Each structure stands twice: as C-alpha cells, then as structure tokens.
Amino acid sequence: STRLCLLLLLVGVPALGLSVYASFRERRIEKRRLSEGSLALASLAAANQENFIRNTRQLFDTLDQFPFLLLSTNRAFSEAHLSNLRRLLPDYANFGLIETNGTVFCSAQASPRAVYLGDRSYFKRALRSKGFSIGDFQVGRLSGVMGLNFGFPVLDGQGRVVRVLYASLKVSRIAEALRDIPLPEGQALTVLDQDGTVLARQPDAEKWVGRPHPEAGALTHGVSHQGGLLETPGPDGVPRLYAVRAVGGEQAPAM
C-alpha cells in the first residue's frame, strides 16, 4: 500500500519524574512543558524520516520512466545498471527486480544462486496494491545488511504487474539521521516498523535495533493514526510519557 507501515516516534520521558513535593499546579505546568517538548521532538524526527520515504518514492518514479531497464530480459545488463545506481546512492544496501513468482531476476548485489523473496512484506504489498509499498525490518538475503525495503510494481503495456522493483535502505542510515537530533537528558527517540521491531534508536542503538519494542502494543493502540501523547509504564515499570508520530502519508496507521 502507499502508506508507510512505520510507526514513529517514541519520545519516552518519566511521566511524573517530578518532585513528589511539588504542588499540583507546578506538576501540571511541568508535565505540559514536557509534553509540548516531546511532541516537537517527535515531529522533527518524523519529518526527518519522511525524507527517506519521499526520496525513495521519487527514485522509483524516475526509474519507472526507463522500461528498457525494468523490463529487460538481459540480466547482466540490468545488474550493471543497478550496481552503478547503488554506487551513486550509498544510503541503500541493494536494488533489484523480483519476478511475480517471487524469484529475483537481478540485483545490484549479484548472486550465483537463485534467491526467493516472495515472502517479503514489501513484495506482497506491491503486488496486492499495485503501488508503492514499504516493508519491515529485515536482514537482506543478498546483501546481508540490516535494512528497510521498499517495493514498486513494474507494469506492462496492459497495466499488469510483471515484476517488483525494490530498494533496501540501510537501517544504519536511519540511525544516523536520529543522531543529528539533540535530546534532553532522559529522553529517547525510537523508530519502529509496523510489527513493533526497532529500526533505530537514540541512544543505545546497539541494544535495541532488530528487537521488538516491549511497549509497542500499548503505544500503537493508545494513540490515533496520526500519533499523540500517551502515559504508560515503561519497560522498567516506571510511568513514562510517550510522544508518538506516524510516518508515511495521510493514511499511515498507528500500527
């Protein structure tokens, strides 16, 4: 589908990490300040992540203008062009073309053996919707790199899907973008896929990436499709305030 099945963004701060001796009014004011600041951070990070989606979609739209590449039956020819594309765009681990039966026709990361990608979510979504699609966290079977894949249907003259073009964005690139956002002490930014798997996090990325977020279910069901604020116990049992923002277009769900 055209929506991004990415959930963004969690900015977790102690919900009432305020002095128990503070007056109710002071706590309320402090909580409002934290809420506004967290939502602003989440919105900034969401806009940052949207750039990856927008750029990938624009890239697919451009490549769609070259049917001689996407519909070629010359594997070596297509691989050479996709390999050059990867060199030009190092944010991506791989580019490739998948036949409708799920087998890879060619990719920038060449392989001497047949590779099956028919079980990948971005492939299934592109076939089903006949539109731009976004997958989930994965380790590439060809590249061996952690990534988030995007799919795009290749159509013939009769409008039938004959292949799926894909691009694998490096998860490390998503993490690098988060590092450019300054965080107040005690806060964290986390990017999840639709299954609640962590794609990127600041800080402590190495402890989180590729793992399910323990609060994903509560967070995605506790806010609207666009996002919002939610107070819920964190993994440590301490009540925390989360600001959530969805990414991927007007129809992006919270999960």
Side-chain angles (χ1 to χ4, degrees):
S1 69
T2 57
R3 67 189 181 180
L4 173 60
C5 299
L6 250 182
L7 167 76
L8 203 48
L9 270 154
L10 319 177
V11 182
V13 299
L16 290 178
L18 318 173
S19 170
V20 294
Y21 302 106
S23 70
F24 175 77
R25 180 175 178 276
E26 290 172 336
R27 290 176 64 188
R28 185 175 59 189
I29 292 172
E30 179 64 6
K31 186 174 179 180
R32 182 185 306 142
R33 183 188 67 80
L34 286 171
S35 299
E36 292 173 351
S38 296
L39 280 172
L41 275 174
S43 297
L44 173 62
N48 189 303
Q49 299 299 316
E50 285 276 11
N51 287 333
F52 291 122
I53 304 157
R54 182 168 51 252
N55 292 342
T56 303
R57 187 158 192 170
Q58 290 175 350
L59 173 62
F60 283 159
D61 287 340
T62 299
L63 292 174
D64 194 40
Q65 304 305 308
F66 300 97
F68 68 87
L69 170 62
L70 303 185
L71 297 174
S72 172
T73 58
N74 186 328
R75 180 177 179 179
F77 170 82
S78 295
E79 280 184 347
H81 282 280
L82 293 178
S83 180
N84 288 335
L85 183 64
R86 184 174 61 171
R87 280 194 288 270
L88 291 171
L89 301 172
D91 286 352
Y92 296 89
N94 205 6
F95 296 98
L97 289 163
I98 309 171
E99 305 286 15
T100 55
N101 64 6
T103 60
V104 174
F105 168 67
C106 71
S107 74
Q109 182 68 49
S111 173
R113 58 184 176 84
V115 177
Y116 180 75
L117 296 179
D119 57 338
R120 296 300 202 187
S121 56
Y122 66 88
F123 173 78
K124 294 178 180 179
R125 290 169 188 150
L127 280 184
R128 183 171 61 247
S129 68
K130 297 178 70 172
F132 176 74
S133 67
I134 303 171
D136 311 299
F137 174 87
Q138 65 174 63
V139 176
R141 289 182 185 142
L142 284 161
S143 67
V145 175
M146 292 186 294
L148 177 69
N149 280 32
F150 302 83
F152 189 82
V154 179
L155 307 180
D156 64 12
Q158 286 71 49
R160 297 171 299 196
V161 180
V162 293
R163 281 177 181 161
V164 170
L165 170 67
Y166 75 89
S168 178
L169 178 68
K170 296 175 182 176
V171 163
S172 60
R173 186 64 190 91
I174 300 175
E176 287 171 12
L178 289 189
R179 287 199 294 269
D180 294 334
I181 300 174
L183 285 178
E185 184 179 356
Q187 296 195 16
L189 281 172
T190 309
V191 184
L192 306 180
D193 68 11
Q194 68 168 355
D195 291 328
T197 300
V198 176
L199 293 169
R201 180 181 167 91
Q202 177 194 354
D204 301 325
E206 65 282 354
K207 298 179 182 178
W208 287 86
V209 172
R211 299 182 179 182
H213 193 284
E215 304 305 312
L219 291 164
T220 53
H221 289 96
V223 297
S224 72
H225 286 181
Q226 287 71 42
L229 285 167
L230 180 69
E231 185 176 326
T232 187
D236 53 5
V238 176
R240 304 183 83 80
L241 184 69
Y242 291 89
V244 181
R245 281 288 180 258
V247 173
E250 299 80 2
Q251 299 178 355
M255 189 62 163

